Amino acid sequence: MFIPAEEKGAALLAWLDVETQVAELRLRCMASAGDAAAAEGFHSVASWLAHHGRVRRSDAAADLRLAEALDRDLPLLAAGLREARVNLAQARVIAAAVGELPDRVGRDVVAKAEAELVRLAAEHDPKDLAVLGRRILEIVDPERFEDEERRKLEEAEQRARGRQRLRIRAVGDGTTRISGVLPDAVAARLATYLHAFTNPRLADGAVRRTSGDSGDQEGGRAQASASPSAHPRRLAEAFGQLLETLDPKRLPIHGGDATNLTVVLSFEALRSGLGVATLGNGVPGDGFDRITAGEARRLACHAQIIPAVLGSDSELLDVGRASRLFTKGQRRALLLRDATCRAEGCSIPGTWSEAHHLLPWGHGGCSDLDNGVLLCSRHHHRAHDAAYDMTRMANGDYRFARRR
């Protein structure tokens, strides 16, 4: 307690360095201590350490994974720990970020990512390093990043389609609980609808128009409406308004009108369907900001997509008007002609199907009967999936085959 403040600060930092170096020695020993665990019949060093050291098994297992990664794959990070240039918390974050890089990027890119994150550890805490680690490929190899980001988004979209669930359960007290897991594109559409109803200006206007209370009460209600804690309630009210606003006569035919979204993507991505598109729904922070260009092309078949096309230097070339949908009469004609989804062997009713442009509008395709076909949601996704070929058969149906 009698040590001067400056000396205390220096001592704390010095002891932190010592702890880091001791931890590196312990991890280095763990990586080669399999024989010690085997001598007593333990499955691994982690289980041996959990038993004798009386530590949690999950912590011991995490230490063993880090020790093996440092010993086998991360020499620069191991050196950083040994020299106390990286602390243990930072090392865990860096090891996780490097471990998430796919093997196809190559060992040289992985080494660059490791070196860059070790360098950044001198300036950033573990939380910031985790954010940088998720974007490390963009930092060390920008050209490869776009392709890897597209691959990750495609895989995520496929997983989302398989995991999507919606549950509606009556609680029994006059309310119903709705819970679900939805693909980002679907959630973005719903969020955009709801935020149109929860616009603060509209909410304040509604209070002024409908309130018959005194000015003080009116101001209090408007202030409560603007409170962040009231936002979930406003979303629930907006959901009810949305359902009341929808025209039920149009739902079986169109499946509901899709949302007006601004999709920003390069012209080449628009034509090829490869790459990444950015959604602009005017609601920052929702998390629904990126989809694959292929998904954007699929949505364009039946959604009011406003394309913002960028040139090679990201200059804005054109912001188009909403793309023209198949008209109600055309949908009826397609329904009379196709009756069901036209994928081979599929019997989903045409009223549940979506109108697909055989030649995408990005390639000059028109919204006419010769360029349209009804496909159910599953086969519509496959029509825009680069992994499948879509071939017209003699009877007018379409066969989907995975490319080899």
Side-chain angles (χ1 to χ4, degrees):
M1 63 182 294
F2 298 106
I3 299 176
E6 292 183 1
E7 292 183 20
K8 284 181 181 178
L12 285 173
L13 293 177
W15 289 329
L16 180 61
D17 289 347
V18 171
E19 288 179 0
T20 297
Q21 292 171 319
V22 171
E24 189 276 332
L25 281 172
R26 180 173 62 84
L27 292 173
R28 203 185 327 166
C29 184
M30 283 189 71
S32 59
D35 52 349
E40 298 185 25
F42 283 88
H43 179 68
S44 68
V45 181
S47 57
W48 181 92
L49 187 61
H51 175 74
H52 288 291
R54 293 174 295 281
V55 299
R56 287 184 296 189
R57 289 182 177 272
S58 58
D59 292 342
D63 284 346
L64 180 59
R65 287 194 297 271
L66 178 59
E68 291 174 341
L70 292 171
D71 180 65
R72 182 181 60 247
D73 301 321
L74 303 171
L76 296 178
L77 180 57
L81 264 179
R82 194 157 48 245
E83 300 165 8
R85 291 182 288 111
V86 178
N87 62 45
L88 189 58
Q90 290 175 317
R92 296 188 192 281
V93 170
I94 293 174
V98 175
E100 290 178 359
L101 292 174
D103 294 336
R104 57 179 171 264
V105 302
R107 183 59 206 171
D108 57 332
V109 175
V110 173
K112 288 181 182 178
E114 178 190 3
E116 182 64 14
L117 286 171
V118 169
R119 185 189 69 81
L120 291 170
E123 304 171 359
H124 299 279
D125 62 20
K127 182 178 179 181
D128 290 341
L129 275 179
V131 175
L132 292 169
R134 289 192 290 269
R135 310 290 294 184
I136 191 61
L137 189 59
E138 184 178 10
I139 296 173
V140 300
D141 194 347
E143 294 182 359
R144 195 188 301 266
F145 168 76
E146 177 74 15
D147 183 58
E148 288 301 322
E149 186 77 354
R150 175 183 61 81
R151 288 174 182 263
K152 287 171 61 177
L153 286 171
E154 287 177 345
E155 293 170 358
E157 287 172 358
Q158 291 176 0
R159 286 195 303 271
R161 287 194 288 270
R163 292 178 56 200
Q164 59 183 341
R165 299 288 188 275
L166 187 67
R167 295 181 177 87
I168 303 177
R169 182 175 64 86
V171 178
D173 60 355
T175 63
T176 295
R177 186 178 301 279
I178 301 176
S179 61
V181 177
L182 303 173
D184 280 351
V186 176
R189 179 182 301 175
L190 177 61
T192 305
Y193 275 137
L194 298 184
H195 279 284
F197 285 104
T198 58
N199 185 308
R201 294 181 180 177
L202 296 179
D204 292 344
V207 170
R208 286 193 295 270
R209 286 193 302 272
T210 60
S211 175
D213 302 329
S214 66
D216 292 341
Q217 292 174 321
E218 179 179 315
R221 292 174 61 188
Q223 184 177 3
S225 178
S227 171
S229 62
H231 185 63
R233 178 175 179 175
R234 293 204 307 272
L235 286 178
E237 293 172 347
F239 189 67
Q241 288 180 280
L242 172 63
L243 296 181
E244 292 177 1
T245 303
L246 293 177
D247 182 0
K249 296 179 180 179
R250 302 183 67 188
L251 295 181
I253 299 296
H254 290 279
D257 283 342
T259 311
N260 276 329
L261 291 176
T262 301
V263 180
V264 182
L265 69 166
S266 69
F267 184 70
E268 183 59 32
L270 177 66
R271 294 183 61 84
S272 66
L274 300 177
V276 177
T278 300
L279 292 178
N281 62 354
V283 186
D286 271 342
F288 317 121
D289 56 347
R290 295 169 76 85
I291 59 174
T292 58
E295 178 72 357
R297 286 179 56 184
R298 185 191 71 80
L299 291 173
C301 283
H302 61 287
Q304 299 250 353
I305 297 294
I306 302 173
V309 183
L310 305 180
S312 58
D313 296 325
S314 296
E315 75 275 18
L316 190 60
L317 298 181
D318 178 62
V319 178
R321 293 178 297 176
S323 63
R324 184 172 178 80
L325 305 173
F326 284 95
T327 66
K328 190 173 183 178
Q330 288 174 319
R331 282 299 307 251
R332 288 174 175 169
L334 287 172
L335 185 59
L336 287 173
R337 186 192 71 187
D338 295 341
T340 66
C341 168
R342 293 308 299 267
E344 182 183 22
C346 186
S347 58
I348 297 295
T351 52
W352 298 356
S353 300
E354 302 165 355
H356 170 64
H357 291 77
L358 295 172
L359 178 63
W361 60 267
H363 287 201
C366 300
S367 295
D368 55 39
L369 297 182
D370 291 338
N371 192 46
V373 64
L374 293 182
L375 295 175
C376 67
S377 179
R378 175 184 177 86
H379 287 107
H380 199 183
H381 276 89
R382 287 193 173 181
H384 289 275
D385 191 340
Y388 286 87
D389 284 317
M390 178 179 173
T391 306
R392 181 182 173 89
M393 303 173 64
N395 64 352
D397 288 347
Y398 288 84
R399 174 174 295 170
F400 291 87
R402 183 179 288 276
R403 294 179 178 175
R404 295 181 179 179

